[in-house]
Amino acid sequence: MIKRFLIIILIILVPVMASAQNVIVEAQVDSMMLWIGQQTGLHVSVTCDAGQEVIFPAYQDTIVRGLEIIPPVKTDTQFVNNGHRMTITRNYTVTCFDSALIYIPFIPVQVDGTDYQSNQLALAFLSYDIPEENAKQIFGPKENMKTPLRLYEAKGLIFYWLLAAIAIVAAVYLLLRYRDDKPIIRRIKIEPKIPAHVRAISEIEELRQSGGAHSEDAKAYYTQLTDILREYINDRFGFNATEMTSYEILERLEEARDKESLSELRDLLNTSDMVKFAKFKPMLNENDRNLVSALEFVNDTKVEVTDDELQPKEEETVIEEKRSKGARFALLLTGIVVAIAGAVFFILTVLKLYYLFF
């Protein structure tokens, strides 16, 4: 059988070249004898002048009956003679799934509208000779081997499972909040207000330590000192002393206290008005005396507070009104979106399980 194939191939494969008007068409194969199912290359080359139009045959699935084409089909072009000539090669990969001697007749090629033919070819596909005593040793394909699951293979599964669990829990929480529509509860920590006399004494002490009483700018010193007293009187006696004149302040204070207790405060306010409006320059010891007078006035009129009143308190405020429509809609929409995300991650988890175990 093999000898007969060889004789026929040697007869057919005598090189035949189509040559006319300097056009050369040649066909060749990489291997002439193959086993069933093996692949080989079939090359059809055309050598012609550069710029000529070359059209190869439009084969679909086979070259001839039984000789199948394996895609892709590639075309190469090479230029020679300083670009005056070119060789275009169409490369096919072919195979056959039956034992046969396949004859390939002349392959037609068209160059600038003129038909040319290549040489003839032949391929021999041989079958395997299996002795009868060994025929039973041939087995069919085996089933896929099942390998144990490894940690790196399950990382995606664990990741999707965690995301699905978190999303589902969040969706349930949001939807329950939407359904219950509980009132909003707020806890407010109330810090105690600093007593007026404590704040005033602290600010007077800061003014004393800053050396304002010995400063050349007496106007700034008395302005700061009287502002501290006006704020204190405002908080302590309950009238807006910051917007009143010194005379109006003393007049209002006389309603609550006797005039003698206000004599030192009256001297302080009068000195302050003279400094600010008459450019009066008091002595340094007078500045110190007025600062002491301000401090004594605060101590004489202060209201004592207990330690409990100075402690911060925490109060709980319950707002009975239900959430607005916009807030309820946003809560519902967020819950639905999170629920959909949870469902998607759950489906991905199931698919991952299926790919791993089935």
Side-chain angles (χ1 to χ4, degrees), residues 69 81 119-120 207 237 243 274 282 290 316 322 340 355:
I69 299 173
N81 294 340
N119 52 296
Q120 304 173 77
L207 179 61
F237 295 97
E243 301 296 332
M274 292 176 62
N290 285 327
E316 185 177 278
K322 294 183 179 181
I340 294 173
Y355 292 143

Side-chain angles (χ1 to χ4, degrees), residues 58-312:
Y59 295 124
Q60 297 297 323
D61 299 325
T62 58
I63 302 292
V64 294
R65 183 178 179 181
L67 188 63
E68 298 185 15
I69 299 173
I70 307 297
V73 177
K74 298 181 180 180
T75 302
D76 296 328
T77 302
Q78 292 182 343
F79 290 92
V80 296
N81 294 340
N82 295 325
H84 297 294
R85 300 277 290 172
M86 66 178 181
T87 299
I88 302 177
T89 304
R90 178 67 59 87
N91 301 302
Y92 302 91
T93 301
V94 295
T95 187
C96 180
F97 297 97
D98 193 10
S99 59
L101 175 63
I102 297 179
Y103 168 68
I104 303 176
F106 302 106
I107 297 176
V109 178
Q110 197 174 82
V111 180
D112 279 350
T114 304
D115 295 329
Y116 298 91
Q117 293 181 336
S118 71
N119 52 296
Q120 304 173 77
L121 296 173
L123 295 174
F125 287 88
L126 309 177
S127 61
Y128 298 93
D129 293 330
I130 303 174
E132 293 183 3
E133 61 271 15
N134 297 331
K136 295 182 180 181
Q137 296 181 2
I138 300 178
F139 303 95
K142 294 185 178 181
E143 295 182 358
N144 294 333
M145 181 182 296
K146 294 184 178 181
T147 58
L149 181 64
R150 298 181 180 179
L151 179 61
Y152 73 89
E153 295 175 324
K155 285 193 298 185
L157 173 65
I158 297 172
F159 177 71
Y160 289 132
W161 182 85
L162 287 175
L163 288 180
I166 294 171
I168 291 172
V169 171
V172 171
Y173 171 77
L174 291 172
L175 294 176
L176 287 177
R177 288 290 303 274
Y178 171 79
R179 187 190 67 179
D180 295 342
D181 195 23
K182 293 182 179 179
I184 301 172
I185 300 176
R186 295 178 182 175
R187 294 186 180 274
I188 303 174
K189 188 174 183 180
I190 302 176
E191 294 290 341
K193 183 179 179 181
I194 300 176
H197 70 276
V198 174
R199 184 175 64 252
I201 292 173
S202 176
E203 292 176 353
I204 292 172
E205 181 63 23
E206 289 181 3
L207 179 61
R208 184 187 67 80
Q209 293 180 0
S210 66
H214 301 158
S215 173
E216 294 182 0
D217 191 354
K219 181 178 180 180
Y221 168 73
Y222 277 96
T223 299
Q224 190 173 355
L225 181 59
T226 53
D227 285 345
I228 295 173
L229 287 176
R230 287 172 184 272
E231 291 288 344
Y232 167 74
I233 294 171
N234 189 24
D235 293 341
R236 168 63 181 83
F237 295 97
F239 60 87
N240 191 10
T242 55
E243 301 296 332
M244 300 172 68
T245 63
S246 299
Y247 176 79
E248 292 172 337
I249 293 172
L250 291 170
E251 189 176 42
R252 289 293 300 272
L253 288 175
E254 287 176 356
E255 296 176 3
R257 299 182 64 84
D258 59 277
K259 295 183 178 181
E260 293 183 3
S261 64
L262 300 176
S263 60
E264 293 185 355
L265 178 62
R266 183 180 293 104
D267 293 340
L268 189 157
L269 295 177
N270 289 336
T271 303
S272 174
D273 290 341
M274 292 176 62
V275 169
K276 288 189 287 186
F277 303 113
K279 296 183 180 181
F280 174 70
K281 292 185 178 181
M283 303 295 291
L284 295 179
N285 59 348
E286 191 175 356
N287 295 341
D288 292 333
R289 186 179 68 253
N290 285 327
L291 187 142
V292 173
S293 297
L295 192 60
E296 289 178 350
F297 173 77
V298 173
N299 285 321
D300 291 341
T301 58
K302 67 182 179 180
V303 177
E304 297 290 346
V305 295
T306 63
D307 294 338
D308 292 339
E309 293 176 336
L310 296 177
Q311 297 299 321

